[in-house]
Amino acid sequence: MTLRFGISELPPEGIDDADFLDGLVEEGHRALELPFTGGFPWKEKRCETFGALAAARDIRLSVHAPYFAGLTIPDEDKGKQSVFAIEHTMKLGKWLGAPVIVAHFGATYDEDPAVLMDRIRSRIDIIAPKVAGMGVGLGLETSGKRSQFGSLGDIAQLVTPIAVGQGGR
């Protein structure tokens, strides 16, 4: 296994993408997380171009999904929007050549953990068949805040049935 170190940052306005990536390489970075945490600042073409530039410099990319894309949101319409946002982030990740996108679970909404776990599983079950052939994984991240759902144990409970069902991946 190769460990890569990098930062989470979008290229600053007015800086050419190639120059930005060259600067990362000069600083010793071999990874970059693009924080699409506020929305979707790039279209597919920019993602494809940036991904090719990063690959040429051996920089591994990942993408952080928007913070509003929570898997625990109780409102069904907002939950569907969150599922769409995660799917869209995964599509952009594919264009970037990113092997993983990262998302948070979302707030606890003072609900029973079992209810939240069922809601998360059902939303992942909606996402999974739509993105199965993309070559982009969904990385679930804990925020470390009490108001947010998702400990390492919660993640382990979620991925274990999925991993077993996919041949141990």
Side-chain angles (χ1 to χ4, degrees), residues 24 35 37 42 75 96-97 102 106-107 115 118 123 137 139 152 156 159:
L24 292 179
T37 53
W42 295 2
D75 179 86
L96 283 158
V102 178
V115 170
D118 288 344
R123 291 188 176 150
L152 290 176
V159 299

Side-chain angles (χ1 to χ4, degrees), residues 45 78 88 91 124 166:
K45 182 65 178 162
K78 289 181 181 178
H88 188 67
K91 289 175 186 174
I124 289 174
Q166 293 181 353

Side-chain angles (χ1 to χ4, degrees), residues 29-165:
H29 297 292
R30 287 289 179 246
L32 174 66
E33 179 181 84
L34 296 167
F36 290 2
T37 53
F40 304 108
W42 295 2
K43 303 288 186 217
E44 288 85 358
K45 182 65 178 162
R46 174 131 189 232
C47 289
E48 184 177 33
T49 302
F50 192 88
L53 290 169
R57 289 156 178 80
D58 194 31
I59 295 175
R60 177 78 45 89
L61 299 176
S62 63
V63 184
H64 199 299
Y67 289 142
F68 64 79
L71 293 168
T72 59
I73 296 171
D75 179 86
E76 277 305 311
D77 288 336
K78 289 181 181 178
K80 287 177 186 176
Q81 292 172 354
S82 291
V83 165
F84 174 78
I86 291 171
E87 290 172 13
H88 188 67
T89 306
M90 293 180 85
K91 289 175 186 174
L92 295 176
K94 176 185 174 191
W95 283 100
L96 283 158
V100 68
I101 70 111
V102 178
H104 290 275
F105 288 103
T108 63
Y109 300 100
D110 293 324
E111 290 190 285
D112 182 81
V115 170
L116 293 170
M117 194 67 82
D118 288 344
R119 187 177 299 140
I120 293 165
R121 277 193 185 104
S122 70
R123 291 188 176 150
I124 289 174
D125 287 345
I126 293 167
I127 296 168
K130 295 179 183 179
V131 300
M134 282 188 197
V136 179
L138 173 60
L140 299 171
E141 182 176 61
T142 101
S143 72
K145 297 178 182 176
R146 292 191 197 285
S147 64
Q148 301 295 304
F149 187 75
S151 67
L152 290 176
D154 296 327
I155 293 171
Q157 285 182 358
L158 279 169
V159 299
T160 301
I162 293 169
V164 171

